[in-house]
Amino acid sequence: MAKVLKTQEMERCIACYSCMQACAREVKKSFSLQYAAIRIKTRGGLQSKLIADICRGCTNPPCAESCSFQALVPRKGGGVKLIEDKCTGCEKCIPACPIGYIKLDPTSEKIIMCIHCGICAKYCPHEIIKLKEVR
């Protein structure tokens, strides 16, 4: 069954960045947080709460529809699969994402996209990030 990342009870997040470190280290093979496909950040302001910037796993992903090179292929259950060899870094998918999640890797000039593998959820000490089954 297909699985998609979900967050819950973000007020329990302490911004330890364990999820970002795990994603960058184990998926992207980098120790730099800028390569993580999940981003923990504030909503802005001095006393705002934290948010997890993750792929929402759209069932009809507009990012895949905007890709002229078929580098983003819709996954069963939601989200997309990135075929890095086909990504040209044209950035058409970036404005197509309804939540502005997609960003460009400055080194490879290809997009950074969540693959919904659940590594970030595994390292979240407060179990805020979950990999949930979807139909």
Side-chain angles (χ1 to χ4, degrees), residues 4-73:
V4 174
L5 284 176
K6 300 286 181 187
T7 59
Q8 58 188 20
E9 301 179 68
M10 276 302 294
E11 65 275 4
R12 293 176 45 216
C13 180
I14 59 171
C16 66
Y17 302 122
S18 295
C19 55
M20 293 175 63
Q21 292 170 346
C23 180
R25 182 183 64 245
E26 296 194 23
V27 179
K28 304 297 180 183
K29 309 298 182 205
S30 172
F31 289 108
S32 174
L33 295 181
Q34 73 174 339
Y35 299 109
I38 181 170
R39 294 175 287 280
I40 302 297
K41 59 186 184 181
T42 67
R43 293 181 186 164
L46 296 174
Q47 298 179 350
S48 69
K49 296 179 180 177
L50 299 168
I51 59 171
D53 200 5
I54 60 173
C55 174
R56 297 299 193 267
C58 301
T59 51
N60 293 316
C63 58
E65 292 174 13
S66 71
C67 183
S68 305
F69 303 96
Q70 288 80 42
L72 295 173
V73 179

